[in-house]
Amino acid sequence: MQRNKSAKLSKNRVGAKSVQRYGGSMNMQPVPLSQASLDYERIAKAISFLQANYLEQPGLETVARAVHMSEFHFQRVFSRWAGISPKRFLQFLTVEHAKRQLAESKPVLDATFDSGLSSPGRLHDLFVSVEAVTPGEFKTRGEGIQITYGFHPTPFGKCLIGVTPRGICWLSFHENGSQRAVLRDLQSHWRGAELVDGAKTTAPIVNEIFSNLEKGEKASLSLLLMGTNFQLKVWQALLRIPRGDVTTYENIGQLIGAPKSARAIGSAVGDNRVAYLIPCHRVIRKSGMLGGYHWGEPRKRAMLAWETAKTAA
């Protein structure tokens, strides 16, 4: 019997119970993320404007006007989202800051990387462990796996998350009006799996990832990943990069024993489909330039500056 090439879709038949064992406690009060997501959309527009007009070095009043806000409102949105003033936040977006960050991160990362890849990665107060699909599941692109998915707001815009009883298998960001496109991406990547629409089930997990970090609560999460052995090595290395630090493709190569494979490492970083939890946004070029990001360079800039602000507070 020939299988359909697209993942099967069905309505939610899975309760929170089936995913609870990998995501920690599900008894917390959900923290609303809708305001943070709206704030991010405005800030992303400001970052895009700054990128397009960096030679003119526009002031805050000009940037605020470009995104249709008063300077006062602009200040307020930045402070609410990042916890710091726009002026300080914008300093975190420069190449000069990225170069300093690389230098300051090196001793921290050297110590972190010395602990090896076997222990769980730590993402601030989140402890992330990884399980890979079986060879059979890899060959069939997830046959026999049921993925519950949902769309939710986050501090970095809207996301699509996919979860299984064995762990989170998907986390991507998208813009307004592109839900169908990102859902097709999930279907294509996990085309042998059954997809179940279940936002009520996935909402507490998104809150655990994003809201609880702000409250300083500790949690543990598991990931279910589908990739080659080389990709898995790269993704596990990314888990060693603490929030507020950055590294280069060359440093990742040194860690995994492939110092001359920067191009292949770049491809593996770009193939990551669990955004934020596997922090591919923390890998930049050794020149201090950010390089690409699957979910848009303005989002990468915003995420790095937001993390720097949070760790500097």
Side-chain angles (χ1 to χ4, degrees), residues 40 43-49 51 81 89 93 175 290-291 293 295-304:
Y40 164 77
I43 288 163
K45 289 177 182 177
I47 291 172
S48 295
F49 176 81
Q51 281 183 266
W81 183 75
F89 183 86
L93 299 176
E175 309 304 330
L290 293 194
Y293 187 56
W295 297 282
E297 190 175 324
R299 182 173 276 109
K300 183 175 183 175
R301 287 182 181 277
M303 292 169 85
L304 289 174

Side-chain angles (χ1 to χ4, degrees), residues 235-273:
W235 298 338
Q236 286 179 314
L238 298 181
L239 289 171
R240 314 306 303 168
I241 310 171
R243 189 168 82 167
D245 288 307
V246 292
T247 193
T248 64
Y249 300 98
E250 290 78 9
N251 287 344
I252 295 294
Q254 293 288 344
L255 173 64
I256 67 172
K260 296 181 180 180
S261 301
R263 186 181 295 273
I265 290 164
S267 295
V269 169
D271 286 335
N272 172 36
R273 290 299 179 267

Side-chain angles (χ1 to χ4, degrees), residues 188-311:
S188 176
H189 187 76
W190 289 94
R191 56 183 172 270
E194 179 184 4
L195 269 58
V196 177
D197 185 353
K200 287 184 179 179
T201 297
T202 55
I205 300 163
V206 171
N207 277 321
E208 187 161 25
I209 294 168
F210 294 104
S211 295
N212 286 358
L213 286 177
E214 291 302 293
K215 296 189 294 184
E217 295 183 3
K218 294 184 178 181
S220 60
L221 295 167
S222 295
L223 308 182
L224 179 66
L225 304 179
M226 182 165 57
T228 65
N229 288 336
F230 184 81
Q231 287 174 326
L232 291 168
K233 271 189 177 182
V234 171
W235 298 338
Q236 286 179 314
L238 298 181
L239 289 171
R240 314 306 303 168
I241 310 171
R243 189 168 82 167
D245 288 307
V246 292
T247 193
T248 64
Y249 300 98
E250 290 78 9
N251 287 344
I252 295 294
Q254 293 288 344
L255 173 64
I256 67 172
K260 296 181 180 180
S261 301
R263 186 181 295 273
I265 290 164
S267 295
V269 169
D271 286 335
N272 172 36
R273 290 299 179 267
V274 185
Y276 188 72
L277 292 178
I278 297 179
C280 54
H281 61 282
R282 296 181 192 152
V283 184
I284 66 175
R285 295 174 181 167
K286 58 185 176 183
S287 65
M289 301 294 288
L290 293 194
Y293 187 56
H294 187 79
W295 297 282
E297 190 175 324
R299 182 173 276 109
K300 183 175 183 175
R301 287 182 181 277
M303 292 169 85
L304 289 174
W306 185 90
E307 290 182 336
T308 301
K310 296 298 180 184
T311 53

Side-chain angles (χ1 to χ4, degrees), residues 17-36:
K17 224 170 168 182
S18 64
V19 295
Q20 183 170 354
R21 53 195 169 102
Y22 77 81
S25 171
M26 294 289 180
N27 297 322
M28 82 289 288
Q29 289 295 319
V31 177
L33 293 166
S34 55
Q35 184 61 59

